[in-house]
Amino acid sequence: MEILKERICRDGVAIGTEILKVDSFLNHQIDAALFEKIGEEFASRFSDVAPQVNKIVTIEASGIAVAAFVARYFDYPPVVFAKKDLPNTMTDAYYFSEIMSFTKMKMAPIRIAKKYLNEGDKVLIIDDFLAHGQAAIGLLNLIEQAGAELLGIGIVIEKAFQGGGKKLRDRNVRVESLAVIERIEDGTILFA
Amino acid sequence: MEILKERICRDGVAIGTEILKVDSFLNHQIDAALFEKIGEEFASRFSDVAPQVNKIVTIEASGIAVAAFVARYFDYPPVVFAKKDLPNTMTDAYYFSEIMSFTKMKMAPIRIAKKYLNEGDKVLIIDDFLAHGQAAIGLLNLIEQAGAELLGIGIVIEKAFQGGGKKLRDRNVRVESLAVIERIEDGTILFA
């Protein structure tokens, strides 16, 4: 997605060889106009499975707005976001998994209430980043626990050099990434 | 907002006298079609200040999608969401406050990077719930630290009996709530 790559080049900040900061438009400050175009692009990439998708799954926090904008271009399927905390309003049974967050350097539990993910659901996962694949694999785990079917994963920015995309594609999961970064070198972002 | 109240009555679950669960459409599973109408309603309520608003501020996680949809009906101002965790990508100076989360029964730090909130900014706060007012007052605190100006607070559901709305209005803050709950009684939701 050309305008996304241009935006990453213009406003993204590469730190060392691992970290790409895009908090000026994606995960701290949000550009809703760009999110609309991102939603439209995912709808186009997944147009072949659009009639089947009945649920979009993501994870708090930065994935939520992206996923909600994607829903606009499908037929407004429910968007379910996995929670990392356990609020006192989460009184129902839930699916549970645990993932490593490399940006926060800690293990984090993730949960989806059982009533919002059902056997037979046809699910699209949407998230802002794919790095080591922890979030995506954790969500896939919840989807498998529910007996639902994953139709594909839509990612805004994939950092290919951290291997998450390869892990998923090796499991025959369809991954559509709008911008794929091959590596980060001396503060320069190199796209695949 | 009538369709919101109807939705709360139909799908909301009242627990005891304090808790309202709306996780089927607002804060675990999201109904993006409803969020569009919510965005439109906030735009209408704040139409008098719309030309001035240059930033929308919210807090992760449930406020994000609401705020992003509101931005569509303004002129796509940047949406900044306060963060509760400190990721390793947050390397810049930030404004800091601390709030009590009654749903999680713990104090939580909240942060906004200084570069995304500036002196002279005209800010609208958008959030899903207003209960004791902790999140709103914490965000107001960050806005004051930045020397920005708060034009108003838009809330999807206000639980009036928990006093947050009164606290804010007593400070002459403009609060627009789309559904105001007077009290919860024997599992019944009573609107103001």
Side-chain angles (χ1 to χ4, degrees), chain A residues 10-67:
Chain A
R10 197 185 79 197
D11 295 334
V13 178
I15 302 176
T17 55
E18 299 283 320
I19 296 171
L20 171 65
K21 276 182 59 154
V22 285
D23 60 3
S24 64
F25 61 93
L26 189 62
N27 47 23
H28 184 17
Q29 181 170 263
I30 285 175
D31 177 350
L34 177 67
F35 276 41
E36 285 193 352
K37 296 198 184 77
I38 286 171
E40 204 175 353
E41 177 72 19
F42 278 129
S44 153
R45 302 242 189 152
F46 287 110
S47 58
D48 57 314
V49 294
Q52 297 171 63
V53 172
N54 77 327
K55 206 153 280 178
I56 295 176
V57 167
T58 186
I59 183 165
E60 60 183 13
S62 306
I64 300 174
V66 182

Side-chain angles (χ1 to χ4, degrees), chain A residues 8-170:
Chain A
I8 294 168
C9 289
R10 197 185 79 197
D11 295 334
V13 178
I15 302 176
T17 55
E18 299 283 320
I19 296 171
L20 171 65
K21 276 182 59 154
V22 285
D23 60 3
S24 64
F25 61 93
L26 189 62
N27 47 23
H28 184 17
Q29 181 170 263
I30 285 175
D31 177 350
L34 177 67
F35 276 41
E36 285 193 352
K37 296 198 184 77
I38 286 171
E40 204 175 353
E41 177 72 19
F42 278 129
S44 153
R45 302 242 189 152
F46 287 110
S47 58
D48 57 314
V49 294
Q52 297 171 63
V53 172
N54 77 327
K55 206 153 280 178
I56 295 176
V57 167
T58 186
I59 183 165
E60 60 183 13
S62 306
I64 300 174
V66 182
F69 274 78
V70 171
R72 295 184 59 231
Y73 293 92
F74 284 69
D75 197 19
Y76 293 96
V79 174
V80 180
F81 61 91
K83 293 189 170 251
K84 294 174 181 168
D85 275 311
L86 187 60
N88 64 357
T89 49
M90 201 160 187
T91 50
D92 307 296
Y94 49 77
Y95 299 111
F96 174 89
S97 188
E98 217 169 13
I99 62 172
M100 177 68 191
S101 167
F102 288 92
T103 47
K104 292 170 188 167
M105 285 312 287
K106 63 177 182 191
M107 291 300 290
I110 63 170
R111 299 173 180 89
I112 290 180
K114 287 190 176 180
K115 60 181 170 183
Y116 301 132
L117 202 50
N118 305 301
E119 195 178 335
D121 274 348
K122 310 281 187 189
V123 177
L124 204 61
I125 289 176
I126 297 289
D127 207 1
D128 58 336
F129 263 98
L130 174 60
H132 299 88
Q134 288 287 310
I137 290 166
L139 291 176
L140 179 53
N141 184 348
L142 300 181
I143 288 164
E144 284 169 349
Q145 287 177 45
E149 185 189 343
L150 179 67
L151 298 182
I153 301 182
I155 297 293
V156 181
I157 301 176
E158 177 179 345
K159 295 197 284 180
F161 57 93
Q162 287 171 332
K166 182 176 185 320
K167 263 185 239 165
L168 290 162
R169 292 180 183 102
D170 284 350

